[in-house]
Amino acid sequence: QSALTQPRSLSGSPGQSVTISCTGTSSDVGGFDHVSWYQQHPGKAPKLMIYAVTKRPSGVPDRFSGSKSGTMASLTISGLQAEDEADYHCCSYAGTDRNLIFGGGTSLTVL
Amino acid sequence: EAQLVESGGALVKPGGSVRLSCAASGLTFTNAWMNWVRQAPGKGLEWIGRIKSKTDGGTADFASPVKGRFTISRDDSKGTLYLQMNSLRIEDTAVYYCTTGSWGIFHAFDVWGQGTTVTV
């Protein structure tokens, strides 16, 4: 099962905005509005930040936003803060055969 | 507050077996579709399987790399999820998480356990 494609690493300065891309195909990202994003700090379990492309679970700051265009989804973090330094994983529903596909993860560094 | 606690991680030889458990609390376990997600060292997350609630059929689906080797079961009376892993391979070495989505969250997971490590 092919993973979704994410940049391996990104960096930004405090206060800046960064956008993490997640590229799939018409069979996953492009075919369903079920893209989710997870934040993971070292040694910790993932935390859901965005689901259904644009929705934020209760408690997630509105600095985090999601979008999708065609077969590419994006997570944008505005007003970058030190605690945003973490790995970010995208995930897409891919139908009843493949179910859920994750990206390889992006390591975000706050300079 | 919903909580999931995995256990059963072990060091096992290739070809061996291990059973992981996941104890749930603070959520309506009987209605939950429960999933297992793993993370190999230094790698991304990988969905490996899910079991539906009994009211939705109770069937399980698996990702290709583990199909035919892993099974998922649930004991709703104990609020516990299981992952039986057979014919283990070196590439099955990972942290294994059980996870689920709260009501209204589909194909995404907002409740995670702390993970348990399987080393093959």
Side-chain angles (χ1 to χ4, degrees):
Chain A
Q1 298 183 180
S2 300
L4 305 176
T5 301
Q6 297 181 235
R8 196 162 183 85
S9 63
L10 277 177
S11 62
S13 299
Q16 283 187 331
S17 292
V18 294
T19 297
I20 302 172
S21 62
C22 172
T23 303
T25 69
S26 58
S27 297
D28 38 64
V29 173
F32 305 94
D33 287 332
H34 287 294
V35 176
S36 52
W37 290 90
Y38 299 85
Q39 177 191 67
Q40 187 180 31
H41 289 107
K44 300 295 187 182
K47 175 186 176 182
L48 180 66
M49 306 303 283
I50 296 287
Y51 68 100
V53 181
T54 62
K55 297 181 179 179
R56 272 189 313 275
S58 174
V60 172
D62 60 6
R63 302 185 295 104
F64 292 84
S65 62
S67 63
K68 188 184 87 165
S69 178
T71 59
M72 189 172 81
S74 300
L75 172 71
T76 297
I77 309 172
S78 57
L80 207 56
Q81 299 181 4
E83 59 261 35
D84 299 333
E85 183 163 297
D87 292 332
Y88 290 85
H89 307 270
C90 66
C91 180
S92 176
Y93 181 64
T96 54
D97 284 342
R98 297 163 68 213
N99 274 281
L100 289 165
I101 305 295
F102 281 93
T106 298
S107 176
L108 175 65
T109 301
V110 179
L111 301 169
Chain B
E1 182 186 354
Q3 189 174 12
L4 300 172
V5 179
E6 301 96 336
S7 60
L11 172 63
V12 60
K13 288 180 167 43
S17 298
V18 69
R19 188 177 83 156
L20 306 183
S21 300
C22 170
S25 61
L27 60 97
T28 307
F29 185 78
T30 53
N31 293 342
W33 290 27
M34 299 299 298
N35 297 258
W36 288 97
V37 171
R38 70 183 179 184
Q39 186 171 34
K43 301 295 186 182
L45 301 170
E46 180 185 23
W47 177 86
I48 58 169
R50 178 210 62 221
I51 187 166
K52 297 180 180 179
S53 63
K54 284 196 167 52
T55 55
D56 289 320
T59 56
D61 294 292
F62 298 90
S64 297
V66 307
K67 201 173 290 187
R69 300 188 298 123
F70 291 10
T71 58
I72 298 175
S73 60
R74 61 192 299 157
D75 185 336
D76 288 352
S77 69
K78 295 181 178 178
T80 302
L81 175 73
Y82 302 100
L83 177 66
Q84 178 67 43
M85 308 165 64
N86 299 329
S87 303
L88 282 163
R89 305 168 180 167
I90 292 173
E91 55 264 34
D92 295 319
T93 294
V95 175
Y96 285 76
Y97 296 99
C98 67
T99 183
T100 189
S102 298
W103 187 88
I105 294 179
F106 300 102
H107 305 302
F109 313 126
D110 63 327
V111 185
W112 293 75
Q114 84 287 355
T116 190
T117 300
V118 174
T119 303
V120 183

